[in-house]
Amino acid sequence: RLFPRDIHYPNISFCIHSVLALPDEWKNTYKFIHKRLFIAAMKERQWAFELGELYKMLVPGGWVQLCEPGPRHAGEVIERVTQMINSLYASKEIVVYIWKRLPMLLEEAGFINIVIEERRPPIGKWAGQQGEGVRDNYASLFRALKTPILDAGGFGVVDSEEEFDLLLVNFCDELDETPDSFVRWFVIYAD
């Protein structure tokens, strides 16, 4: 189930479309578009095309808001996990830190007044319920990448399921035990 069944407003409808093939009838329609967590969804050339499409969907003076993650900061285990995930993304031609490229890509698509803001939510048990939630989200992401990472040979970091699973345990432990660990998030908006 992708959409809620109990939400009914006259100005809200739920539908499924590719961001690379948006309906023509949406052009010049929206005042605000929010998009997040597409970091692993598109290759760089697709980002440029897709941002151009979003620009066409906005009414004059409309705004787009993009939210994408940056690096995590904690310790040695996090560095190893980051190296492995970055290697996987690079092998798939995915731009690892797309937030660095978004201002230029937005400008090329026709956007102006481009602003980038950084947030640093804490990550790990030491930061209470919010930190545990962020940790759990990243652990779920890491767990979801297990098969593609192992299928690619582990990128010099892990060689087996057992090593991967142990690295995941160590990943969570390091976040829980490293005060002031955080993840960088970037909010980029433009009109």
Side-chain angles (χ1 to χ4, degrees):
R1 194 177 103 205
L2 189 58
F3 302 123
R5 295 181 185 162
D6 57 347
I7 295 180
H8 303 284
Y9 294 99
N11 63 340
I12 294 176
S13 63
F14 296 100
C15 56
I16 299 172
H17 288 283
S18 168
V19 294
L20 300 173
L22 296 172
D24 285 339
E25 60 267 18
W26 289 5
K27 288 184 178 166
N28 201 31
T29 302
Y30 296 96
K31 294 179 182 178
F32 180 76
I33 297 172
H34 170 82
K35 188 178 99 145
R36 69 178 182 170
L37 292 172
F38 273 66
I39 183 172
M42 295 184 291
K43 298 177 181 183
E44 184 170 10
R45 67 183 178 281
Q46 293 170 316
W47 275 95
F49 175 80
E50 187 264 344
L51 291 174
E53 289 297 293
L54 291 183
Y55 184 79
K56 293 175 192 173
M57 301 299 135
L58 290 170
V59 297
W63 287 81
V64 66
Q65 180 186 57
L66 311 171
C67 301
E68 295 296 336
R72 294 157 297 283
H73 295 275
E76 184 270 329
V77 175
I78 302 310
E79 291 303 316
R80 291 177 59 218
V81 169
T82 299
Q83 171 197 344
M84 194 167 46
I85 292 172
N86 290 356
S87 295
L88 175 66
Y89 286 176
S91 76
K92 307 268 184 210
E93 299 179 46
I94 293 169
V95 181
V96 175
Y97 296 125
I98 191 64
W99 63 269
K100 291 180 181 181
R101 309 260 309 132
L102 284 174
M104 182 202 63
L105 291 169
L106 284 164
E107 187 175 339
E108 289 174 0
F111 288 94
I112 59 172
N113 300 319
I114 300 164
V115 177
I116 185 167
E117 294 181 3
E118 181 177 348
R119 302 283 190 264
R120 293 183 174 200
I123 183 169
K125 191 174 188 174
W126 65 270
Q129 188 174 3
Q130 178 188 4
E132 288 183 273
V134 175
R135 179 209 56 214
D136 292 347
N137 284 340
Y138 275 93
S140 294
L141 165 69
F142 184 32
R143 193 175 301 108
L145 297 176
K146 179 178 183 175
T147 299
I149 286 170
L150 291 174
D151 286 350
F155 300 103
V157 178
V158 295
D159 292 317
S160 67
E161 280 192 55
E162 293 77 21
E163 286 183 12
F164 185 97
D165 293 342
L166 179 59
L167 188 61
L168 177 57
V169 169
N170 293 338
F171 172 85
C172 292
D173 287 347
E174 182 173 275
L175 292 171
D176 287 343
E177 297 165 6
T178 307
D180 299 324
S181 57
F182 62 89
V183 61
R184 295 173 72 191
W185 272 89
F186 296 90
V187 179
I188 301 118
Y189 50 95
D191 70 342

